[in-house]
Amino acid sequence: MKILVAVKQVAALDEDFEIRADKKDVDEEFLLFDLNEWDDFSLEEAMRIKEESPDTEIEVVVVSIGPDRVDESLRKCLAKGADRAIRVWDDAVEGSDTVAIGKMLAEVVKKEAPDMVFAGVQSSDQSHASTGIAMAAYLGLPHAAVVADLKYSPGANKATIRRELEGGILQEVEIACPAVLTIQLGINKPRYASLRGIKQAAAKPIEAWSLGDIGMSASDVGEGSAMSRVRRMYVPEKGRAQMIEGTIAQQAARIIEIIKEFKGA
Amino acid sequence: MTNPIEITRILFEDFQPQTIHLFYAFGYSAIAIFIYGTYTQIRKYRRGKDDGSWGELLHRFWDMAKTMGSHRTLVRRDKKAGRAHGLIFFGFVLLFIGTSTITLEYDILEPLFGIKFWYGNFYLWFSLVLDIAGFGLILGLIYMMYRRKWLNLPKLSYARLDRQPGDPDFDRPQYRREDWAFLWSFILIGITGFVLEATRLVWLSGRPSVWDYRMWSPIGAALAHLMQGLGMTSEGASAFRPSLWWFHGLLSLTFIALIPRTKIKHIFTAAASLMFKDPLAGRRLPRVPDDQKNAGYKAITDLTWKNLLHLDACTKCGRCQEACPANAVGAPLSPRDVILSLREFANNALNKKELPKEAELDIHGKDVGQVFMETLWSCRTCLACVEICPVAVEHVPIIVQMRRHLVEQGEMEPLLEKTLQTIHKSGNSFGESKRKRAAWAKDLSFEIKDARLDPVDILWFVGDYASFDPRNQKVTQAFAKLMNAAGVDFGLLFEGEMNAGNDVRRVGEEGLYEYLATSNIQSLSDCDFNSIVTTDPHSYNTIRNEYPDFGGSYEIQHYSTVVKKLLEDGKLKLKKKLDYRVTFHDPCHLGRFNKGYDAPRDIIKMLGCDLVDMGRNRDNSFCCGAGGGRIWIPDPVGTVKPSQNRMNEAGTIEGLQVFVVSCPKDLTMFEDALKTSGYEGKFIVRELIELIDECMDYPEEILEKEVVAEIE
Ligand SMILES: Cc1cc2nc3c(=O)[nH]c(=O)nc-3n(C[C@H](O)[C@H](O)[C@@H](O)COP(=O)(O)OP(=O)(O)OC[C@H]3O[C@@H](n4cnc5c(N)ncnc54)[C@H](O)[C@@H]3O)c2cc1C
Ligand code: SF4
Ligand code: SF4
């Protein structure tokens, strides 16, 4: 019994960041990298299933497509209890769109043949919410997005899930397994990975796969084969909002002043 | 004149040989039970992990003897109980030595070598000393009985804040029963001893070698006269004596046999606990060995033998509970009960012949003897408990070790978890960009040196709160101006500085602490400086006491020491004096942790202020509630916070104008508490640096001063 969890290392902006010279992305020097928040939940869901059935042998495999620095995030997953970690990378992957990433993940899934596949609903930096579903499409597997609750006994041929819809409505769905589920925040309470745990996980190997390992080539990925490309990244003009500083009394005085200005008094 | 050799007590006078044999049989059995009990206790301790405290045994022994001899730790904050204990202790010790002396002559020296010394003058002085000792013992015990019965001291109540009435271990009546059984049996041994002495005097009143010297045992003699007055004859005494003799003897032997199994064992465990006391307990927390899989204490067998010994040393005196700020505000924590729970757990699990299964050794949970996670998270690691414990129980290292396990299990407040992740990511607890660490320095009219580029005399380790908290930044700027005005050659680490890790370590996130400490040590080792200064007592503590374990030994001073010296040397000149009535709050990490009680007070006096200390000051200072990572865990709504409790204490000082602190976290905590506890407008909270700043007269003013304006 095996659960595969696709995880992504996302970028967060540091204060006072700068846009790269080619204007297509933020200068990497101003980015702080961490595991996508959604992936904490999908890994936790896999761990929950594993731990709730101590008598069944369950392997949790985390997979990420990304450069070397992603190892740090994978180690965090290993520290939280994942059994194996796979990282696929080739410099040619740079600039790939979600569909290409989905295809690559699908190839990994084919090789690993898991009984269940999780991805996050979306990533916090790009928010396409399409990678998991693209992967499912390539695999031809049943899929469900925005899963907020999961009932699944390891190895069963179906699972009952609740999907989160607009306006706080839940939809209960029965899905045939293996399936690809994109997991929503709040499905569980992700565990804390202590730094000692992360350090100890450094001893566990991270399997480094190349494009060749998943039967793909440089021409299948990257900007060239992407169906969309970034033209420009920029900070929009500031609105009228401003931060009022000073003591409470000074702030109140300033607000009164502004109101008066608007009223034209 | 009687022959001195006749002035003695004939042991077993008029006893049948069988009776004597019977008594010896009882005696040996008592000793056997005692030895077996001692063996099981030692076996229990040996089931704990190793501890490195074996060094310098002689030195340790001498320190312990001094502490016990002076009763210093016992009279502290409770003179009467301490003195009463002194009477009991010295009474007991003398009586014990006395009995041993008799045994030495009667059972060893005389039968083997024919040596006798227990007669004549020696015997008379011996009688006198022992009479006085016994009398002291009884007086002490009477006071203790009175104290337990009539003083209604909250610290002697066994009701717990971390259990509900009805829970099996809520108020532990068995403790009360044991206390009384102990007091009664002890006092009965003393009283029957005197009655026995008096009965012997009456019985042998016709024998001059006894009767003529009766005043050498004054209490016995007084009782003898009383008994005679009540009509007891020599024959009556002779008839009455044997049963009393047996009662006294058997009670004493039972007492000895039961030492290892009852609270009486504190005679030994407390002495050993004092002997293995760690002067840096809680100030320097234990490292987790690199090859150890899990950090912290999960099972009772994870405790070291020294921890287990401390558990047994506790005499339930309640002083730690009385000093505990968490307990004072009703949090489910009493340091005493943490110790007692674990002790009970250890006695249940480790006194058996075979060690129970792994699962039965888990000390975390909701069962009897287990410790709640809420209890562990309530601790502020303020060391008030460790400081006052008369028998050197070290609660905080145990609490932190248990938290280390909780952290690995992720059993903590979500907010705390977030903060730890933030610290890991950004190197500070504010989640601010590293680049902004020295943003406060931009408003100054002078440049501060970058210690990473230029050699400096003093490297200033600023710390998170002083760097990022807007209110504290003003203090930080003021300190920079002071140092600049005094012509000190100083510099910063700028973005090379990270959270020092003191509180992260006390939370129990040891891996993150190691990361922070080693990163800072790396940054420091790349700089050229003579010593470090900081305005943050938390950073001060960990750099001073804990970084050496990670290869970073530095000379570090809290700013109060540095500024005091600058003022004394005339490098800083006060342009005016202040006439405020102030009080000073000792920050735990400066005061109790590092004994920096005097420098801030000296400065306050130099400034001309009228310093009135609060009742709880210096080593008894009351934590603001922010320690041990509690600054990142919100206190439950609707409860009084420790900081508010402290404000109420300050509020009782007549005419108080300024509540002076010298710690960034204190400034945050107390300015908040001032508002929430209704003292706003009555007095103000100020960092000592701000008061010094008020007395300065800089050529160019960068910051506005509000201090004067706000004091009515
Ligand atoms: C660490 C990392 C670094 C990258 N660096 C670059 C780069 O420097 N330049 C560049 O052009 N492209 C890079 N890519 C590839 C690409 O831009 C993104 O991965 C893109 O496909 C992600 O879309 P999204 O964030 O909107 O994901 P979404 O479609 O929103 O889906 C999010 C979920 O899909 C899954 N998922 C998404 N991406 C991955 C992935 N790569 N591996 C495993 N699971 C995934 C996760 O479960 C995640 O929670 C990188 C990808 C990763 C993961
Ligand atoms: S360290 Fe302070 S808060 Fe913690 S148990 Fe001891 S006295 Fe209480
Ligand atoms: S731990 Fe120390 S201070 Fe606390 S009750 Fe026990 S003996 Fe007293």
Side-chain angles (χ1 to χ4, degrees), chain A residues 6-9 36 38-39 63-67 69-70 89 93-98 101 105 119-123 125-132:
Chain A
V7 299
K8 180 190 175 187
Q9 193 184 51
N36 184 24
W38 277 263
D39 300 346
V63 181
S64 189
I65 315 236
R69 63 173 145 72
V70 176
W89 189 246
V93 178
E94 188 86 30
S96 298
D97 61 4
T98 51
I101 298 285
L105 287 172
V121 167
Q122 64 184 62
S123 61
D125 55 352
Q126 298 281 337
S127 313
H128 289 299
S130 56
T131 312

mmCIF file of all heavy atoms in Angstrom, chain A residues 6-9 36 38-39 63-67 69-70 89 93-98 101 105 119-123 125-132, ligand 1:
data_model
loop_
_atom_site.group_PDB
_atom_site.id
_atom_site.type_symbol
_atom_site.label_atom_id
_atom_site.label_comp_id
_atom_site.label_asym_id
_atom_site.label_seq_id
_atom_site.Cartn_x
_atom_site.Cartn_y
_atom_site.Cartn_z
ATOM 1 N N ALA A 6 2.340 14.845 -3.856
ATOM 2 C CA ALA A 6 3.123 15.820 -4.629
ATOM 3 C C ALA A 6 3.263 17.085 -3.796
ATOM 4 O O ALA A 6 2.270 17.618 -3.301
ATOM 5 C CB ALA A 6 2.406 16.134 -5.937
ATOM 6 N N VAL A 7 4.488 17.516 -3.599
ATOM 7 C CA VAL A 7 4.691 18.711 -2.777
ATOM 8 C C VAL A 7 5.538 19.722 -3.530
ATOM 9 O O VAL A 7 6.373 19.361 -4.351
ATOM 10 C CB VAL A 7 5.375 18.375 -1.434
ATOM 11 C CG1 VAL A 7 4.520 17.415 -0.619
ATOM 12 C CG2 VAL A 7 6.754 17.793 -1.658
ATOM 13 N N LYS A 8 5.309 20.973 -3.227
ATOM 14 C CA LYS A 8 6.009 22.028 -3.934
ATOM 15 C C LYS A 8 6.669 22.985 -2.953
ATOM 16 O O LYS A 8 6.106 23.279 -1.900
ATOM 17 C CB LYS A 8 4.996 22.799 -4.790
ATOM 18 C CG LYS A 8 5.609 23.937 -5.574
ATOM 19 C CD LYS A 8 4.534 24.802 -6.196
ATOM 20 C CE LYS A 8 5.182 26.001 -6.880
ATOM 21 N NZ LYS A 8 4.202 26.955 -7.363
ATOM 22 N N GLN A 9 7.858 23.429 -3.327
ATOM 23 C CA GLN A 9 8.487 24.469 -2.525
ATOM 24 C C GLN A 9 8.069 25.806 -3.112
ATOM 25 O O GLN A 9 8.301 26.064 -4.290
ATOM 26 C CB GLN A 9 10.005 24.332 -2.572
ATOM 27 C CG GLN A 9 10.692 25.182 -1.519
ATOM 28 C CD GLN A 9 12.193 25.127 -1.640
ATOM 29 O OE1 GLN A 9 12.741 25.333 -2.722
ATOM 30 N NE2 GLN A 9 12.867 24.863 -0.545
ATOM 31 N N ASN A 36 4.857 24.513 0.329
ATOM 32 C CA ASN A 36 3.509 25.049 0.097
ATOM 33 C C ASN A 36 2.609 24.662 1.267
ATOM 34 O O ASN A 36 2.577 23.499 1.677
ATOM 35 C CB ASN A 36 2.972 24.463 -1.212
ATOM 36 C CG ASN A 36 1.622 25.034 -1.591
ATOM 37 O OD1 ASN A 36 1.273 26.137 -1.169
ATOM 38 N ND2 ASN A 36 0.876 24.282 -2.401
ATOM 39 N N TRP A 38 -0.503 24.123 1.599
ATOM 40 C CA TRP A 38 -1.453 23.048 1.317
ATOM 41 C C TRP A 38 -0.795 21.681 1.452
ATOM 42 O O TRP A 38 -1.414 20.712 1.856
ATOM 43 C CB TRP A 38 -2.023 23.215 -0.099
ATOM 44 C CG TRP A 38 -3.153 24.190 -0.139
ATOM 45 C CD1 TRP A 38 -4.490 23.879 -0.098
ATOM 46 C CD2 TRP A 38 -3.074 25.617 -0.224
ATOM 47 N NE1 TRP A 38 -5.244 25.023 -0.147
ATOM 48 C CE2 TRP A 38 -4.417 26.105 -0.234
ATOM 49 C CE3 TRP A 38 -2.027 26.524 -0.291
ATOM 50 C CZ2 TRP A 38 -4.712 27.462 -0.314
ATOM 51 C CZ3 TRP A 38 -2.337 27.877 -0.380
ATOM 52 C CH2 TRP A 38 -3.658 28.348 -0.380
ATOM 53 N N ASP A 39 0.472 21.631 1.068
ATOM 54 C CA ASP A 39 1.152 20.341 1.070
ATOM 55 C C ASP A 39 1.391 19.823 2.482
ATOM 56 O O ASP A 39 1.495 18.620 2.703
ATOM 57 C CB ASP A 39 2.465 20.443 0.282
ATOM 58 C CG ASP A 39 2.203 20.851 -1.167
ATOM 59 O OD1 ASP A 39 1.018 20.785 -1.587
ATOM 60 O OD2 ASP A 39 3.141 21.262 -1.862
ATOM 61 N N VAL A 63 6.916 13.599 -3.546
ATOM 62 C CA VAL A 63 7.567 13.870 -4.824
ATOM 63 C C VAL A 63 7.549 15.357 -5.077
ATOM 64 O O VAL A 63 6.526 16.016 -4.876
ATOM 65 C CB VAL A 63 6.812 13.172 -5.978
ATOM 66 C CG1 VAL A 63 7.517 13.451 -7.296
ATOM 67 C CG2 VAL A 63 6.702 11.693 -5.712
ATOM 68 N N SER A 64 8.656 15.904 -5.508
ATOM 69 C CA SER A 64 8.653 17.301 -5.889
ATOM 70 C C SER A 64 9.477 17.496 -7.150
ATOM 71 O O SER A 64 10.469 16.805 -7.369
ATOM 72 C CB SER A 64 9.222 18.172 -4.775
ATOM 73 O OG SER A 64 9.016 19.525 -5.098
ATOM 74 N N ILE A 65 9.008 18.438 -7.951
ATOM 75 C CA ILE A 65 9.772 18.808 -9.137
ATOM 76 C C ILE A 65 10.407 20.150 -8.811
ATOM 77 O O ILE A 65 9.688 21.116 -8.532
ATOM 78 C CB ILE A 65 8.829 18.976 -10.346
ATOM 79 C CG1 ILE A 65 7.870 17.798 -10.340
ATOM 80 C CG2 ILE A 65 9.642 19.211 -11.619
ATOM 81 C CD1 ILE A 65 7.726 16.920 -11.445
ATOM 82 N N GLY A 66 11.711 20.202 -8.813
ATOM 83 C CA GLY A 66 12.349 21.461 -8.475
ATOM 84 C C GLY A 66 13.836 21.301 -8.290
ATOM 85 O O GLY A 66 14.347 20.173 -8.222
ATOM 86 N N PRO A 67 14.543 22.434 -8.192
ATOM 87 C CA PRO A 67 16.008 22.402 -8.085
ATOM 88 C C PRO A 67 16.500 21.970 -6.690
ATOM 89 O O PRO A 67 15.691 21.699 -5.809
ATOM 90 C CB PRO A 67 16.410 23.848 -8.369
ATOM 91 C CG PRO A 67 15.224 24.655 -7.984
ATOM 92 C CD PRO A 67 14.024 23.804 -8.231
ATOM 93 N N ARG A 69 17.550 23.290 -3.993
ATOM 94 C CA ARG A 69 17.090 23.863 -2.727
ATOM 95 C C ARG A 69 15.817 23.202 -2.207
ATOM 96 O O ARG A 69 15.485 23.293 -1.035
ATOM 97 C CB ARG A 69 16.883 25.369 -2.868
ATOM 98 C CG ARG A 69 15.817 25.767 -3.851
ATOM 99 C CD ARG A 69 15.552 27.267 -3.805
ATOM 100 N NE ARG A 69 15.235 27.814 -5.100
ATOM 101 C CZ ARG A 69 14.077 27.593 -5.738
ATOM 102 N NH1 ARG A 69 13.138 26.851 -5.181
ATOM 103 N NH2 ARG A 69 13.858 28.119 -6.922
ATOM 104 N N VAL A 70 15.100 22.504 -3.087
ATOM 105 C CA VAL A 70 13.863 21.836 -2.696
ATOM 106 C C VAL A 70 14.138 20.711 -1.692
ATOM 107 O O VAL A 70 13.279 20.342 -0.902
ATOM 108 C CB VAL A 70 13.151 21.306 -3.963
ATOM 109 C CG1 VAL A 70 11.911 20.526 -3.602
ATOM 110 C CG2 VAL A 70 12.817 22.470 -4.876
ATOM 111 N N TRP A 89 14.418 16.789 -11.400
ATOM 112 C CA TRP A 89 14.852 18.096 -11.909
ATOM 113 C C TRP A 89 15.772 17.979 -13.110
ATOM 114 O O TRP A 89 16.504 16.995 -13.276
ATOM 115 C CB TRP A 89 15.539 18.911 -10.812
ATOM 116 C CG TRP A 89 15.794 20.340 -11.246
ATOM 117 C CD1 TRP A 89 17.007 20.921 -11.446
ATOM 118 C CD2 TRP A 89 14.829 21.341 -11.541
ATOM 119 N NE1 TRP A 89 16.863 22.219 -11.843
ATOM 120 C CE2 TRP A 89 15.528 22.510 -11.920
ATOM 121 C CE3 TRP A 89 13.422 21.360 -11.549
ATOM 122 C CZ2 TRP A 89 14.880 23.695 -12.281
ATOM 123 C CZ3 TRP A 89 12.782 22.543 -11.903
ATOM 124 C CH2 TRP A 89 13.514 23.694 -12.254
ATOM 125 N N VAL A 93 13.605 22.202 -17.065
ATOM 126 C CA VAL A 93 12.251 22.298 -16.499
ATOM 127 C C VAL A 93 11.891 23.745 -16.179
ATOM 128 O O VAL A 93 10.716 24.130 -16.168
ATOM 129 C CB VAL A 93 12.138 21.415 -15.224
ATOM 130 C CG1 VAL A 93 10.760 21.538 -14.603
ATOM 131 C CG2 VAL A 93 12.447 19.965 -15.557
ATOM 132 N N GLU A 94 12.900 24.541 -15.949
ATOM 133 C CA GLU A 94 12.720 25.965 -15.679
ATOM 134 C C GLU A 94 11.721 26.572 -16.663
ATOM 135 O O GLU A 94 11.845 26.385 -17.868
ATOM 136 C CB GLU A 94 14.091 26.646 -15.824
ATOM 137 C CG GLU A 94 14.141 28.091 -15.408
ATOM 138 C CD GLU A 94 14.404 28.244 -13.922
ATOM 139 O OE1 GLU A 94 15.072 27.366 -13.333
ATOM 140 O OE2 GLU A 94 13.937 29.234 -13.356
ATOM 141 N N GLY A 95 10.719 27.257 -16.156
ATOM 142 C CA GLY A 95 9.761 27.912 -17.032
ATOM 143 C C GLY A 95 8.579 27.051 -17.450
ATOM 144 O O GLY A 95 7.709 27.505 -18.196
ATOM 145 N N SER A 96 8.525 25.812 -16.937
ATOM 146 C CA SER A 96 7.398 24.931 -17.292
ATOM 147 C C SER A 96 6.090 25.486 -16.749
ATOM 148 O O SER A 96 6.060 26.137 -15.714
ATOM 149 C CB SER A 96 7.603 23.547 -16.672
ATOM 150 O OG SER A 96 8.765 22.959 -17.176
ATOM 151 N N ASP A 97 4.991 25.174 -17.445
ATOM 152 C CA ASP A 97 3.679 25.542 -16.909
ATOM 153 C C ASP A 97 3.110 24.373 -16.114
ATOM 154 O O ASP A 97 3.704 23.299 -16.049
ATOM 155 C CB ASP A 97 2.749 25.998 -18.035
ATOM 156 C CG ASP A 97 2.512 24.901 -19.061
ATOM 157 O OD1 ASP A 97 3.023 23.765 -18.833
ATOM 158 O OD2 ASP A 97 1.846 25.161 -20.072
ATOM 159 N N THR A 98 1.930 24.588 -15.535
ATOM 160 C CA THR A 98 1.366 23.559 -14.652
ATOM 161 C C THR A 98 1.071 22.272 -15.400
ATOM 162 O O THR A 98 1.124 21.196 -14.829
ATOM 163 C CB THR A 98 0.060 24.063 -14.021
ATOM 164 O OG1 THR A 98 -0.789 24.556 -15.062
ATOM 165 C CG2 THR A 98 0.329 25.168 -13.033
ATOM 166 N N ILE A 101 4.254 20.316 -15.584
ATOM 167 C CA ILE A 101 4.554 19.763 -14.266
ATOM 168 C C ILE A 101 3.607 18.595 -13.979
ATOM 169 O O ILE A 101 4.014 17.548 -13.472
ATOM 170 C CB ILE A 101 4.426 20.850 -13.168
ATOM 171 C CG1 ILE A 101 5.431 21.985 -13.398
ATOM 172 C CG2 ILE A 101 4.582 20.244 -11.768
ATOM 173 C CD1 ILE A 101 6.857 21.658 -13.056
ATOM 174 N N LEU A 105 4.659 14.794 -13.109
ATOM 175 C CA LEU A 105 4.179 14.100 -11.909
ATOM 176 C C LEU A 105 3.464 12.813 -12.309
ATOM 177 O O LEU A 105 3.631 11.770 -11.664
ATOM 178 C CB LEU A 105 3.233 15.008 -11.114
ATOM 179 C CG LEU A 105 3.902 16.170 -10.371
ATOM 180 C CD1 LEU A 105 2.846 17.110 -9.791
ATOM 181 C CD2 LEU A 105 4.814 15.656 -9.259
ATOM 182 N N ALA A 119 -2.403 15.953 -3.928
ATOM 183 C CA ALA A 119 -1.708 17.199 -4.256
ATOM 184 C C ALA A 119 -2.424 18.295 -3.482
ATOM 185 O O ALA A 119 -3.535 18.079 -2.988
ATOM 186 C CB ALA A 119 -1.759 17.472 -5.751
ATOM 187 N N GLY A 120 -1.786 19.451 -3.391
ATOM 188 C CA GLY A 120 -2.463 20.562 -2.742
ATOM 189 C C GLY A 120 -3.484 21.169 -3.693
ATOM 190 O O GLY A 120 -3.376 21.015 -4.908
ATOM 191 N N VAL A 121 -4.486 21.859 -3.138
ATOM 192 C CA VAL A 121 -5.469 22.519 -4.000
ATOM 193 C C VAL A 121 -4.767 23.519 -4.902
ATOM 194 O O VAL A 121 -5.011 23.573 -6.101
ATOM 195 C CB VAL A 121 -6.544 23.233 -3.150
ATOM 196 C CG1 VAL A 121 -7.386 24.175 -4.017
ATOM 197 C CG2 VAL A 121 -7.442 22.206 -2.483
ATOM 198 N N GLN A 122 -3.899 24.305 -4.311
ATOM 199 C CA GLN A 122 -3.176 25.305 -5.091
ATOM 200 C C GLN A 122 -1.877 25.625 -4.372
ATOM 201 O O GLN A 122 -1.655 25.164 -3.265
ATOM 202 C CB GLN A 122 -4.011 26.574 -5.231
ATOM 203 C CG GLN A 122 -4.265 27.246 -3.884
ATOM 204 C CD GLN A 122 -5.164 28.455 -4.024
ATOM 205 O OE1 GLN A 122 -6.305 28.331 -4.430
ATOM 206 N NE2 GLN A 122 -4.634 29.606 -3.675
ATOM 207 N N SER A 123 -1.036 26.400 -5.037
ATOM 208 C CA SER A 123 0.187 26.790 -4.358
ATOM 209 C C SER A 123 0.075 28.256 -3.978
ATOM 210 O O SER A 123 -0.589 29.040 -4.653
ATOM 211 C CB SER A 123 1.385 26.572 -5.274
ATOM 212 O OG SER A 123 1.239 27.362 -6.429
ATOM 213 N N ASP A 125 2.233 30.631 -3.999
ATOM 214 C CA ASP A 125 2.900 31.670 -4.787
ATOM 215 C C ASP A 125 2.264 31.886 -6.161
ATOM 216 O O ASP A 125 2.156 33.002 -6.633
ATOM 217 C CB ASP A 125 4.410 31.392 -4.898
ATOM 218 C CG ASP A 125 4.745 30.015 -5.453
ATOM 219 O OD1 ASP A 125 3.809 29.194 -5.626
ATOM 220 O OD2 ASP A 125 5.933 29.752 -5.705
ATOM 221 N N GLN A 126 1.835 30.800 -6.795
ATOM 222 C CA GLN A 126 1.309 30.949 -8.155
ATOM 223 C C GLN A 126 -0.209 30.806 -8.249
ATOM 224 O O GLN A 126 -0.822 31.346 -9.188
ATOM 225 C CB GLN A 126 1.975 29.925 -9.081
ATOM 226 C CG GLN A 126 3.475 30.081 -9.203
ATOM 227 C CD GLN A 126 3.876 31.186 -10.150
ATOM 228 O OE1 GLN A 126 3.104 31.572 -11.034
ATOM 229 N NE2 GLN A 126 5.068 31.723 -10.001
ATOM 230 N N SER A 127 -0.779 30.026 -7.378
ATOM 231 C CA SER A 127 -2.243 29.884 -7.293
ATOM 232 C C SER A 127 -2.937 29.479 -8.590
ATOM 233 O O SER A 127 -4.020 29.961 -8.891
ATOM 234 C CB SER A 127 -2.884 31.189 -6.799
ATOM 235 O OG SER A 127 -2.211 31.656 -5.698
ATOM 236 N N HIS A 128 -2.324 28.598 -9.372
ATOM 237 C CA HIS A 128 -3.017 28.115 -10.567
ATOM 238 C C HIS A 128 -4.096 27.103 -10.223
ATOM 239 O O HIS A 128 -5.082 26.984 -10.927
ATOM 240 C CB HIS A 128 -2.028 27.423 -11.517
ATOM 241 C CG HIS A 128 -1.081 28.354 -12.185
ATOM 242 N ND1 HIS A 128 -1.503 29.362 -13.009
ATOM 243 C CD2 HIS A 128 0.275 28.431 -12.155
ATOM 244 C CE1 HIS A 128 -0.444 30.024 -13.461
ATOM 245 N NE2 HIS A 128 0.648 29.477 -12.948
ATOM 246 N N ALA A 129 -3.897 26.361 -9.171
ATOM 247 C CA ALA A 129 -4.828 25.303 -8.771
ATOM 248 C C ALA A 129 -5.068 24.315 -9.903
ATOM 249 O O ALA A 129 -6.178 23.838 -10.111
ATOM 250 C CB ALA A 129 -6.148 25.902 -8.287
ATOM 251 N N SER A 130 -4.030 24.046 -10.686
ATOM 252 C CA SER A 130 -4.247 23.162 -11.835
ATOM 253 C C SER A 130 -3.294 21.975 -11.898
ATOM 254 O O SER A 130 -3.573 21.011 -12.604
ATOM 255 C CB SER A 130 -4.137 23.982 -13.128
ATOM 256 O OG SER A 130 -2.880 24.629 -13.148
ATOM 257 N N THR A 131 -2.196 22.024 -11.152
ATOM 258 C CA THR A 131 -1.188 20.968 -11.296
ATOM 259 C C THR A 131 -1.753 19.581 -10.999
ATOM 260 O O THR A 131 -1.583 18.642 -11.774
ATOM 261 C CB THR A 131 0.015 21.264 -10.384
ATOM 262 O OG1 THR A 131 0.404 22.611 -10.577
ATOM 263 C CG2 THR A 131 1.185 20.357 -10.709
ATOM 264 N N GLY A 132 -2.424 19.479 -9.858
ATOM 265 C CA GLY A 132 -2.950 18.168 -9.454
ATOM 266 C C GLY A 132 -3.924 17.628 -10.473
ATOM 267 O O GLY A 132 -3.888 16.435 -10.810
HETATM 268 C C1 LIG C 1 10.428 24.156 -6.097
HETATM 269 C C2 LIG C 1 10.074 24.504 -7.470
HETATM 270 C C3 LIG C 1 10.858 25.382 -8.122
HETATM 271 C C4 LIG C 1 10.536 25.754 -9.388
HETATM 272 N N1 LIG C 1 11.314 26.632 -9.911
HETATM 273 C C5 LIG C 1 10.973 27.099 -11.086
HETATM 274 C C6 LIG C 1 11.712 28.139 -11.608
HETATM 275 O O1 LIG C 1 12.674 28.603 -10.979
HETATM 276 N N2 LIG C 1 11.345 28.634 -12.777
HETATM 277 C C7 LIG C 1 10.284 28.140 -13.424
HETATM 278 O O2 LIG C 1 9.968 28.653 -14.466
HETATM 279 N N3 LIG C 1 9.552 27.116 -12.963
HETATM 280 C C8 LIG C 1 9.856 26.573 -11.804
HETATM 281 N N4 LIG C 1 9.103 25.556 -11.325
HETATM 282 C C9 LIG C 1 8.021 24.890 -12.122
HETATM 283 C C10 LIG C 1 6.653 25.603 -12.271
HETATM 284 O O3 LIG C 1 6.716 26.975 -12.428
HETATM 285 C C11 LIG C 1 5.704 25.366 -11.138
HETATM 286 O O4 LIG C 1 5.916 24.166 -10.473
HETATM 287 C C12 LIG C 1 4.233 25.326 -11.559
HETATM 288 O O5 LIG C 1 3.939 24.183 -12.291
HETATM 289 C C13 LIG C 1 3.444 25.323 -10.350
HETATM 290 O O6 LIG C 1 2.173 25.817 -10.571
HETATM 291 P P1 LIG C 1 1.396 26.290 -9.327
HETATM 292 O O7 LIG C 1 2.337 26.815 -8.350
HETATM 293 O O8 LIG C 1 0.352 27.207 -9.713
HETATM 294 O O9 LIG C 1 0.800 24.951 -8.772
HETATM 295 P P2 LIG C 1 -0.752 24.595 -8.664
HETATM 296 O O10 LIG C 1 -1.267 24.212 -9.998
HETATM 297 O O11 LIG C 1 -1.434 25.687 -7.987
HETATM 298 O O12 LIG C 1 -0.823 23.310 -7.804
HETATM 299 C C14 LIG C 1 -0.330 23.238 -6.514
HETATM 300 C C15 LIG C 1 -0.184 21.837 -6.132
HETATM 301 O O13 LIG C 1 0.242 21.070 -7.212
HETATM 302 C C16 LIG C 1 1.285 20.279 -6.843
HETATM 303 N N5 LIG C 1 2.441 20.797 -7.498
HETATM 304 C C17 LIG C 1 2.543 21.951 -8.171
HETATM 305 N N6 LIG C 1 3.780 22.083 -8.662
HETATM 306 C C18 LIG C 1 4.444 20.991 -8.266
HETATM 307 C C19 LIG C 1 5.766 20.561 -8.443
HETATM 308 N N7 LIG C 1 6.645 21.297 -9.136
HETATM 309 N N8 LIG C 1 6.131 19.387 -7.936
HETATM 310 C C20 LIG C 1 5.238 18.612 -7.229
HETATM 311 N N9 LIG C 1 3.966 18.988 -7.028
HETATM 312 C C21 LIG C 1 3.602 20.163 -7.543
HETATM 313 C C22 LIG C 1 1.418 20.416 -5.352
HETATM 314 O O14 LIG C 1 0.661 19.415 -4.789
HETATM 315 C C23 LIG C 1 0.855 21.749 -5.074
HETATM 316 O O15 LIG C 1 0.272 21.864 -3.805
HETATM 317 C C24 LIG C 1 9.413 25.179 -10.076
HETATM 318 C C25 LIG C 1 8.659 24.300 -9.382
HETATM 319 C C26 LIG C 1 8.971 23.962 -8.106
HETATM 320 C C27 LIG C 1 8.107 23.029 -7.363
#
